Amino acid sequence: GENVEQHPSTLSVQEGDSAVIKCTYSDSASNYFPWYKQELGKRPQLIIDIRSNVGEKKDQRIAVTLNKTAKHFSLHITETQPEDSAVYFCASPGQGTALIFGKGTTLSVSS
Amino acid sequence: EPEVTQTPSHQVTQMGQEVILRCVPISNHLYFYWYRQILGQKVEFLVSFYNNEISEKSEIFDDQFSVERPDGSNFTLKIRSTKLEDSAMYFCASRGLAIRGNEQFFGPGTRLTVL
């Protein structure tokens, strides 16, 4: 089945810096790659997603890039703000619809 | 905006007892999921449900677990005989048809504590 690896596990940046989180997946049939943000004690919330027919997608300060050949995708957050501090999870469905999540990245943005 | 809802928000039970976690998915959604998250760890898939039957399940979803859609709105997860290691946050999620996007919408979760 699908296996998703996520790096780094923790990331500390200064306010205004950029943050990049990377994930690799194993199932070449995967065609959908979401990123979820989870604040402490809350539900995971989708922040951006990309389908396999697109190489990059942007939404204001966040972007996701996908390299299908290398089977990896990345989350880019520019001009980070303290409210970006949270745990970020990448996910991939493999051949089904169930999401297989990475282990998460704890992002800390200090002002 | 429609949301997935879950009850209860927190359930405390004794080891060996049965628990039922309840979810109300978004009304026009057709795919339903249960995930769990042990404190400080990643979100893990348990089971998916489509067209009134289980469509996928993980290794975690053994004979102690069952799911049901008893009526047109509720989606339940039953754990027959709880173990200490079942303590976790359980999230329900739902999704519409693929042509409307693949996004899975998560409920607020039920924190299950097994003593």
Side-chain angles (χ1 to χ4, degrees):
Chain A
E2 177 69 295
N3 184 42
V4 178
E5 299 285 338
Q6 182 172 347
H7 299 280
S9 55
T10 60
L11 181 58
S12 297
V13 298
Q14 290 287 321
E15 183 177 2
D17 287 351
S18 294
V20 181
I21 304 169
K22 296 180 180 177
C23 285
T24 59
Y25 61 97
S26 61
D27 194 331
S28 54
S30 288
N31 60 5
Y32 173 67
F33 306 93
W35 284 92
Y36 283 83
K37 176 182 180 182
Q38 187 179 33
E39 294 174 346
L40 194 62
K42 302 281 183 68
R43 75 188 83 187
Q45 296 220 297
L46 182 76
I47 55 170
I48 195 166
D49 57 10
I50 191 168
R51 293 198 61 123
S52 57
N53 56 350
V54 174
E56 183 175 358
K57 185 176 173 182
K58 225 175 163 181
D59 182 3
Q60 298 181 4
R61 295 187 298 108
I62 57 173
V64 54
T65 58
L66 171 65
N67 183 328
K68 281 220 76 178
T69 306
K71 289 194 272 188
H72 65 71
F73 57 112
S74 300
L75 176 71
H76 304 253
I77 307 174
T78 58
E79 299 169 37
T80 52
Q81 298 164 5
E83 50 265 39
D84 294 329
S85 296
V87 181
Y88 291 82
F89 291 97
C90 63
S92 171
Q95 298 190 27
T97 68
L99 292 177
I100 307 304
F101 284 80
K103 288 186 176 179
T105 297
T106 301
L107 175 64
S108 302
V109 181
S110 50
S111 52
Chain B
E1 189 174 332
E3 283 194 334
V4 176
T5 59
Q6 289 184 244
T7 53
S9 56
H10 193 184
Q11 173 92 47
V12 181
T13 190
Q14 294 289 327
M15 193 167 57
Q17 294 296 303
E18 174 184 287
V19 294
I20 297 176
L21 310 183
R22 291 183 167 79
C23 168
V24 179
I26 293 172
S27 65
N28 60 351
H29 281 187
L30 299 176
Y31 296 84
F32 314 116
Y33 305 86
W34 283 102
Y35 294 87
R36 79 171 186 192
Q37 187 177 32
I38 295 169
L39 188 63
Q41 297 187 22
K42 70 176 179 178
V43 178
E44 297 176 291
F45 166 68
L46 294 178
V47 65
S48 62
F49 196 83
Y50 171 73
N51 202 24
N52 284 320
E53 59 183 22
I54 290 173
S55 50
E56 297 169 81
K57 59 181 181 178
S58 72
E59 291 173 356
I60 302 168
F61 193 86
D62 61 22
D63 292 344
Q64 292 299 311
F65 291 89
S66 63
V67 289
E68 202 176 30
R69 188 150 162 84
D71 53 43
S73 59
N74 290 283
F75 179 51
T76 61
L77 175 69
K78 184 195 288 187
I79 309 175
R80 252 178 283 281
S81 177
T82 49
K83 308 186 193 82
L84 295 175
E85 54 265 36
D86 293 328
S87 295
M89 183 74 98
Y90 288 80
F91 292 105
C92 173
S94 70
R95 200 199 90 174
L97 289 173
I99 58 170
R100 295 202 176 92
N102 296 83
E103 181 178 357
Q104 291 186 23
F105 294 82
F106 282 74
T110 293
R111 181 167 298 286
L112 177 64
T113 302
V114 182
L115 304 176

